[in-house]
Amino acid sequence: MTTLTQRTIDVIRKNEADLQANWTASLEATGASRDARVTAIDIDNQTREFIRLLASNARVGDTSISGNDWSETRTFLERLSRSRALQGFDSQATASFIFSLKRPLFDLLQVEYAADPNELVAQMWAISELLDALGMHTIRTFQKSREEVIARQQEELLELSTPVVKLWDGVLALPMIGTLDSQRTQVVMESLLQRIVETGAEIAIIDITGVPTVDTLVAQHLLKTVTAIRLMGADAIISGVRPQIAQTIVHLGLDLQGIVTKSNLADALALALKRSGFTVSKV
């Protein structure tokens, strides 16, 4: 494996300012520095910091970035990747920021090793391997950061898609829209039970008008939610049981005995008010 020489490391350290200027110019030429999501000040700080770390962490004969010598550089790249992920950049643009340093470094080495073409090729290859490793570390961190962002957004969407609404004193409603799965059922139970505790509600209405189909799995999730509501000392009513869903439940042989169901939310609310001691009449 081709390795870095002390001469290469020294020339990088002596020309940090010129390297940064050429790198910034390269980014400007490709339009990367004109992206509205990142400021010119950020670009300047990031390029200066990375070149400083590259010059200080490089060691003779070492192109591996897994050692302790490169810990500070890895931390910088991880921080850069997370910020780019949050700003909406893709992995290619993030990695290209690191790979774009190759040309300024190659130009510097061409001047330094002009009289020794064989050593020039060797050191260009060593620098290329080093930047490739740093770029791949950036991509791995970026992908992990994006996965964390997506997971957090999915959780937020789940919470938004399962709002708990207070219909009356002591009466809560949970309109369900979309398919029920294990993860969503858990979010539903947590948010609904928390609202029962906060409001002291005695009746919770689960409206499944927006649930497209009910199969054995969905029914089991509903039963779990109803059981959890009852354990909290409240009653549960399931509304939005359309004829198609009723037929499906019968065909599947699902046991929903003991669970009060209504065809629509209005009927469920009327029942909840009646249980609460209220009557509704026209003026």
Side-chain angles (χ1 to χ4, degrees):
M1 178 182 292
T2 308
T3 58
L4 293 174
T5 64
Q6 187 61 52
R7 182 180 176 184
T8 296
I9 296 172
D10 289 340
V11 74
I12 292 175
R13 291 173 177 171
K14 292 177 182 178
N15 295 274
E16 289 185 32
D18 290 339
L19 268 177
Q20 190 211 358
N22 294 334
W23 188 12
T24 303
S26 176
L27 292 171
E28 179 69 25
T30 60
S33 62
R34 295 192 297 272
D35 195 303
R37 292 169 294 184
V38 59
T39 66
I41 295 177
D42 290 334
I43 292 291
D44 183 72
N45 291 335
Q46 290 166 357
T47 53
R48 180 185 294 105
E49 179 68 8
F50 182 72
I51 291 177
R52 182 190 69 79
L53 291 171
L54 180 67
S56 62
N57 294 158
R59 297 291 182 272
V60 176
D62 181 20
T63 56
S64 172
I65 65 167
S66 59
N68 292 331
D69 290 338
W70 291 97
S71 61
E72 192 177 359
T73 303
R74 293 196 303 270
T75 300
F76 168 83
L77 293 175
E78 290 161 6
R79 187 171 61 251
L80 174 70
S81 298
R82 292 191 186 96
S83 66
R84 292 298 176 95
L86 293 174
Q87 290 168 330
F89 287 90
D90 57 23
S91 58
Q92 179 180 352
T94 304
S96 295
F97 175 77
I98 302 300
F99 294 145
S100 61
L101 179 57
K102 283 187 178 184
R103 172 55 62 186
L105 278 171
F106 289 171
D107 291 343
L108 181 64
L109 293 178
Q110 283 180 324
V111 174
E112 179 67 20
Y113 292 99
D116 192 349
N118 290 334
E119 188 62 21
L120 170 63
V121 172
Q123 291 307 296
M124 289 178 67
W125 184 257
I127 286 292
S128 182
E129 285 186 328
L130 177 59
L131 289 180
D132 286 346
L134 293 169
M136 290 304 298
H137 182 75
T138 303
I139 291 175
R140 286 192 296 269
T141 306
F142 179 90
Q143 290 174 337
K144 183 179 179 181
S145 300
R146 287 295 298 167
E147 290 171 359
E148 292 173 353
V149 170
I150 292 172
R152 186 173 65 253
Q153 290 174 340
Q154 288 177 336
E155 291 177 359
E156 292 172 352
L157 285 174
L158 282 175
E159 294 175 357
L160 291 173
S161 65
T162 54
V164 180
V165 183
K166 183 179 179 181
L167 297 181
W168 202 267
D169 288 339
V171 181
L172 298 177
L174 177 66
M176 301 293 299
I177 300 175
T179 304
L180 278 176
D181 55 24
S182 298
Q183 182 182 7
R184 192 176 183 198
T185 301
Q186 183 65 30
V187 174
V188 166
M189 283 197 293
E190 289 178 357
S191 58
L192 182 55
L193 297 181
Q194 182 62 35
R195 286 287 286 163
I196 289 175
V197 172
E198 293 173 355
T199 62
E202 298 178 351
I203 300 175
I205 301 173
I206 302 176
D207 184 66
I208 61 172
T209 304
V211 177
T213 58
V214 173
D215 53 19
T216 304
L217 186 60
V218 172
Q220 289 175 350
H221 291 322
L222 287 174
L223 288 173
K224 289 179 182 178
T225 305
V226 171
T227 301
I229 292 171
R230 288 175 173 173
L231 288 173
M232 294 297 295
D235 291 331
I237 302 173
I238 297 179
S239 65
V241 181
R242 304 184 301 278
Q244 300 88 336
I245 290 180
Q247 292 177 10
T248 301
I249 291 174
V250 172
H251 289 320
L252 292 174
L254 301 176
D255 183 14
L256 297 182
Q257 291 184 1
I259 299 178
V260 179
T261 61
K262 291 294 180 180
S263 61
N264 55 62
L265 182 58
D267 291 343
L269 176 58
L271 177 60
L273 292 175
K274 183 178 180 180
R275 288 185 175 183
S276 301
F278 295 96
T279 57
V280 180
S281 61
K282 291 184 179 180
V283 177

